[in-house]
Amino acid sequence: MVSTATTVIAVTNGEAPAEVSPAAGTEAAPTPAALPMAEQVKPATAATTIAGIELAADKGSNKTNMDPALINFKVLYVLTQLVGLTMIVLVGTWIGQHFGGLGGTSNPKLEFNWHPLFMTIGFIYLYGNSILIYRGFRTTRKKTLKLTHAGIHLAAFVLTVIALKTVFDSHNLASPPIPNMYSLHSWLGLSAVIIFSLQYVAGFVAFLAPGLRENYRIAMMPLHIYFGLFGFGLAIASALMGLTEKAIFAITNPPYSTLPPAGLLANVIGVLYVVFGALVVYLATEPSYKRKPIPEDTALLTSSSANE
């Protein structure tokens, strides 16, 4: 008669099971070599350990469980960058092929061409990317994002100041001189620059300079966000007016009304301004794309609260 035996294996956290000898008069359990090959070979999968027992998990679960909103954001964010870079390239092509390229104060007409180029790079592309920095780099520490946000704004401000100087030079050094600040484009453009500058100062004092109480920063945040987006929208509107103004005054042979290549390219650039602005505003305001705090932010907030 063949008797059966029950073999007990102790499962420990991360330790190999102890070998238990069969009782006398019983048959030994089959060794691994005696088991069928199909039972010995098991696929290697990611595992979750619960009380020392590993449970197989699907390696692709991270991909299948990825937040759809985050996927949509990444696609639209890349599209925004492509539209913005295309916009800059086309502006450079426009002034290079149809308006003689770039120049200095000795040639006011060519010096003016710095104005649309630098305004497009600084006051539209960099401005828009500065708005999106918190959502585009959501896994970066908030303090780092603040400094990057301020740095991009500073670069945009420098380019904007240079662009303003070139347009005033091109008017004042022309023969005869061209009047300044008479068009709606100039009024709205200067208003956008002033709002941008005030925003920069207010943001630096409220969110970067030490000493301001937390409740004041919380109260400032909605205003900072609103006027940041308002200034960006005003910059887009001003750019569209300036583009139209330049096309009407400068595209004369053949005239702009016949839609020559220079006029067609101007219209395409204007459409790209609108598309870029719409994408930036959407990505910046869509609630599902909002950046979530990371552990480093919580640690930094706890540390600053303790210091206060």
Side-chain angles (χ1 to χ4, degrees), residues 86-266:
T86 303
M87 178 178 67
I88 294 172
V89 171
L90 291 185
V91 170
T93 303
W94 189 56
I95 62 178
Q97 290 191 353
H98 301 287
F99 297 105
L102 303 170
T105 55
S106 60
N107 192 333
K109 285 187 177 181
L110 295 187
E111 185 185 7
F112 172 85
N113 291 339
W114 288 104
H115 180 74
L117 180 62
F118 277 179
M119 279 298 191
T120 301
I121 297 174
F123 213 41
I124 296 180
Y125 182 72
L126 291 182
Y127 194 171
N129 273 282
S130 181
I131 292 173
L132 295 180
I133 194 70
Y134 288 98
R135 297 192 173 194
F137 297 86
R138 57 185 65 240
T139 58
T140 305
R141 289 180 57 184
K142 193 169 185 179
K143 184 176 181 181
T144 303
L145 292 177
K146 283 183 179 181
L147 294 173
T148 306
H149 180 71
I152 296 176
H153 266 317
L154 181 59
F157 178 76
V158 170
L159 292 177
T160 299
V161 169
I162 297 174
L164 288 178
K165 180 184 181 302
T166 60
V167 73
F168 279 108
D169 281 350
S170 68
H171 283 200
N172 297 331
L173 298 177
S175 181
I178 302 172
N180 292 308
M181 301 300 299
Y182 68 89
S183 66
L184 183 58
H185 162 67
S186 61
W187 286 19
L188 293 184
L190 189 59
S191 299
V193 172
I194 292 173
I195 291 174
F196 178 86
S197 303
L198 293 176
Q199 269 282 100
Y200 189 84
V201 174
F204 184 86
V205 172
F207 305 111
L208 279 180
L212 194 68
R213 296 179 61 179
E214 189 65 27
N215 56 339
Y216 290 131
R217 296 183 179 182
I218 294 173
M220 279 284 295
M221 182 58 73
L223 294 174
H224 186 68
I225 293 173
Y226 170 77
F227 281 103
L229 290 173
F230 176 72
F232 178 69
L234 195 57
I236 296 288
S238 176
L240 292 173
M241 291 181 181
L243 194 66
T244 304
E245 185 179 301
K246 176 69 174 177
I248 292 174
F249 287 163
I251 303 176
T252 57
N253 187 23
Y256 178 47
S257 58
T258 63
L259 200 62
L264 179 61
L265 188 54

Side-chain angles (χ1 to χ4, degrees), residues 34-57:
L35 293 174
M37 184 62 66
E39 295 183 16
Q40 292 185 43
V41 180
K42 294 184 178 180
T45 59
T48 303
T49 302
I50 302 178
I53 302 175
E54 291 187 344
L55 302 178

